[in-house]
Amino acid sequence: IYRDFKKTRGITMIMEDNNLAEDKMEEECGIFGVYSKEVRDDIMGLGYYGLFALQHRGQESAGLTVSNMGVLETIKGMGLVSEVFTDKDLTENKGNALIGHVRYSTTGSSSLMNAQPLGGYFMLGQFAIAHNGNLVNTATLRRQLESESAVFQTTTDTELILNLLSRYSRNGIKSMIVNTMKTIKGSFALVMLIGDKLIGVRDPNGIRPLCLGKINGGTYVLASETCALDTVDAKFIRDIEPGEIVIIDSDGVDSIKYEKNSSKAPCSFEYIYFARPDSTMDGISVYEARYQAGRKLWEQSKIEADVVIGVPDSGIPAAIGYAEASGIPYSVGIIKNKYIARTFIVPSQELRERAVAAKLNVLKAAVNGKRVVVIDDSLVRGTTSKKLINQLRNAGAKEIHFKSASPAVKFPCYFGIDTAHRSELIASQMTTEEIAKQIGADTLDYLSINNLEKSLCDKKYCLGCFNGVYPIYAPMGE
Ligand code: AMP
């Protein structure tokens, strides 16, 4: 049994959680980093606003580690960015570099143990790390390290990375990071502080996103999404390449390609659901990709209808695209409660259904007596669609044509998107006609895989949850 501390300061902490075994490793998070040659008084403020812009990527915990020329201080806690940090935290801590993390809650127990950044002391001084993604060789690595007497304090795969870094630290920073990155497998975007340096890494397939920007005057910023660069007034420089390490210090940005032969396969679900529409990742605007998906849905099946509505927030751009391509009027038809976080965290089916009603409500005036096309970004378990269709019928909709702006989700994700186990994925159990019946829709259509690829400009993406083909081998049970 661990104690529950709402907030922890410094890197020594007492952890909560009496349910370690149920902890799910997979997680999707937001990461942020800042480097300046000089100490900045406002560095915590930059970190705070950067994380705030990435809040949609994780609402379970938030943390910042600031480096004052190599002396690290971590502040982290459970809850939203606005709940975790106080005015004092932001004004009293100064530094030249910083990393931050927001963690997305999965159905496993949520605990401070998993809150990041994680850090420690080793041969090269103090260091800290924040990780977005999911490693797939965790069990093997952990067994191996434990058999060599390693001690772990958490069940996170991020602590494995800490351990490996320390193990490879003998020959200096570069060889330490390269060796560690060659040992871990899976999806990862990392920001690290090693002494007073900021380091960013992207996995060999670039599954998780990471970009680099610069604030006037020479302060560098790393972030999961460009929307966080905009928030701190940083200009986008470029995306970190798959298999690339950037070491940012007083000499500028040093780039090392540690993996040259891997194929680029960023996660398509980032564009479909996870990222903010005002972000651009690997050269593709998230909004544009969703909008094009909507246009393609119209090309796929031309349904006669009176109004097109979208499920907020991620279904809206596709609904606008569908309406513009078809000429059918677009209307706001579903209102989202602004004060509710994303609903997947709800553990049981009954509670999940209730959570949908608390989050989304139908606008009767927009749909009463009409033939309605309703577009959501995805259909996973079928909970949201079923609940919404019921609400639409009660509001007087005459016909309901449900469209998913992504293909049928049939396979689990091993790389960090919490899309449930295979048995819970409705499309892996039923045909499209059966699903339409189950959710109560007159018709149901999914974006085809081919059209998803087109809406992503035919670049290469990981489509594992749709076609079961993954960029790297993901052993079951790891
Ligand atoms: P479901 O209700 O199970 O069919 O899931 C589909 C709904 O969940 C859609 O409204 C999506 O916007 C949303 N969604 C899709 N993927 C995720 C995810 N990984 N985490 C949370 N919500 C998601």
Side-chain angles (χ1 to χ4, degrees):
I1 308 257
Y2 293 80
R3 293 254 172 70
D4 181 351
F5 273 55
K6 176 76 180 146
K7 197 185 267 190
T8 326
R9 265 143 220 280
I11 51 168
T12 3
M13 62 176 186
I14 300 172
M15 286 163 295
E16 61 168 319
D17 199 354
N18 50 14
N19 211 0
L20 296 183
E22 278 185 20
D23 250 325
K24 279 193 31 182
M25 293 294 211
E26 56 235 275
E27 53 192 63
E28 172 72 276
C29 309
I31 56 173
F32 189 74
V34 178
Y35 177 85
S36 147
K37 271 190 207 173
E38 277 96 43
V39 169
R40 289 184 71 128
D41 292 348
D42 63 346
I43 195 146
M44 289 293 282
L46 291 178
Y48 179 83
Y49 283 115
L51 286 190
F52 204 80
L54 299 173
Q55 186 76 84
H56 61 290
R57 300 183 69 85
Q59 300 95 41
E60 183 189 276
S61 66
L64 288 168
T65 300
V66 63
S67 168
N68 195 339
M69 294 301 178
V71 180
L72 272 54
E73 169 79 17
T74 298
I75 300 170
K76 59 186 175 182
M78 302 304 289
L80 300 174
V81 175
S82 58
E83 295 167 333
V84 169
F85 305 101
T86 63
D87 284 354
K88 238 171 117 195
D89 293 335
L90 305 184
T91 49
E92 285 189 354
N93 292 288
K94 304 179 193 337
N96 74 298
L98 162 146
I99 58 171
H101 187 264
V102 283
R103 181 173 186 263
Y104 177 65
S105 182
T106 60
T107 48
S109 60
S110 70
S111 74
L112 189 54
M113 177 191 77
N114 291 318
Q116 297 189 28
L118 283 182
Y121 293 82
F122 71 159
M123 249 170 86
L124 303 174
Q126 237 183 319
F127 72 138
I129 183 168
H131 171 205
N132 169 29
N134 187 47
L135 303 187
V136 294
N137 62 339
T138 326
T140 316
L141 277 179
R142 202 175 166 109
R143 268 196 306 271
Q144 188 189 322
L145 292 170
E146 280 171 353
S147 73
E148 294 165 16
S149 318
V151 176
F152 292 96
Q153 299 194 45
T154 75
T155 56
T156 63
D157 42 6
T158 312
E159 199 185 0
L160 275 173
I161 305 176
L162 276 188
N163 203 294
L164 288 167
L165 286 167
S166 173
R167 215 156 256 258
Y168 291 124
S169 62
R170 221 162 290 136
N171 298 320
I173 286 192
K174 282 189 191 172
S175 103
M176 167 182 87
I177 303 172
V178 168
N179 282 319
T180 301
M181 297 314 140
K182 286 187 169 212
T183 309
I184 57 177
K185 303 232 167 327
S187 69
F188 50 92
L190 304 168
V191 284
M192 295 184 263
L193 289 174
I194 298 177
D196 65 347
K197 297 177 198 302
L198 172 68
I199 287 115
V201 188
R202 209 166 161 200
D203 65 70
N205 303 103
I207 300 174
R208 301 268 76 90
L210 189 65
C211 63
L212 175 70
K214 199 174 183 182
I215 303 174
N216 264 347
T219 297
Y220 286 100
V221 180
L222 288 169
S224 294
E225 291 184 35
T226 57
C227 65
L229 300 185
D230 298 337
T231 306
V232 297
D233 231 356
K235 269 211 181 74
F236 171 79
I237 300 178
R238 64 180 180 88
D239 291 291
I240 303 303
E241 288 293 311
E244 182 184 9
I245 297 164
V246 286
I247 300 179
I248 310 175
D249 60 16
S250 53
D251 295 330
V253 182
D254 186 14
S255 159
I256 305 162
K257 276 287 257 183
Y258 68 94
E259 180 62 78
K260 295 193 179 86
N261 296 325
S262 57
S263 56
K264 192 169 179 173
C267 166
S268 54
F269 223 81
E270 286 277 356
Y271 296 87
I272 293 163
Y273 169 78
F274 221 84
R276 254 171 59 165
D278 50 338
S279 287
T280 296
M281 296 186 312
D282 291 306
I284 308 267
S285 144
V286 174
Y287 180 86
E288 187 62 23
R290 291 180 188 169
Y291 173 86
Q292 289 303 338
R295 295 194 70 100
K296 297 269 178 286
L297 272 172
W298 165 250
E299 285 167 22
Q300 268 180 220
S301 92
K302 299 188 164 77
I303 295 263
E304 276 188 31
D306 304 309
V307 68
V308 183
I309 63 172
V311 181
D313 296 315
S314 28
I316 303 286
I320 293 172
Y322 189 97
E324 286 188 10
S326 63
I328 303 169
Y330 168 81
S331 172
V332 173
I334 297 166
I335 303 298
K336 180 176 159 188
N337 183 329
K338 289 193 183 71
Y339 305 96
I340 200 151
R342 292 184 165 191
T343 53
F344 251 45
I345 52 174
V346 186
S348 73
Q349 187 61 22
E350 195 203 331
L351 285 174
R352 202 172 281 128
E353 282 177 24
R354 214 179 282 279
V356 173
K359 180 179 166 184
L360 301 169
N361 200 16
V362 163
L363 194 62
K364 193 169 181 197
V367 299
N368 192 11
K370 294 190 179 151
R371 297 168 299 171
V372 181
V373 169
V374 49
I375 306 189
D376 200 355
D377 63 273
S378 60
L379 221 131
V380 181
R381 296 179 179 91
T383 315
T384 309
S385 42
K386 187 173 179 186
K387 214 57 210 166
L388 277 176
I389 289 167
N390 192 26
Q391 287 186 29
L392 284 164
R393 295 249 182 249
N394 290 340
K398 244 177 23 199
E399 285 173 24
I400 300 167
H401 304 282
F402 202 91
K403 314 240 170 231
S404 161
S406 60
V409 178
K410 291 186 178 167
F411 302 91
C413 174
Y414 300 100
F415 304 109
I417 298 283
D418 182 30
T419 38
H421 296 287
R422 193 145 184 223
S423 59
E424 291 175 26
L425 299 172
I426 195 166
S428 77
Q429 310 293 328
M430 294 184 197
T431 64
T432 302
E433 290 69 38
E434 285 168 345
I435 299 168
K437 208 162 158 216
Q438 159 90 6
I439 64 175
D442 293 295
T443 67
L444 168 66
D445 195 22
Y446 290 95
L447 188 70
S448 68
I449 293 186
N450 196 11
N451 276 336
L452 171 64
E453 288 178 309
K454 282 194 187 138
S455 70
L456 294 170
C457 299
D458 282 323
K459 292 192 184 178
K460 271 206 76 188
Y461 285 90
C462 175
L463 304 169
C465 48
F466 309 119
N467 62 9
V469 179
Y470 304 99
I472 48 171
Y473 173 62
M476 293 295 286
E478 277 275 2

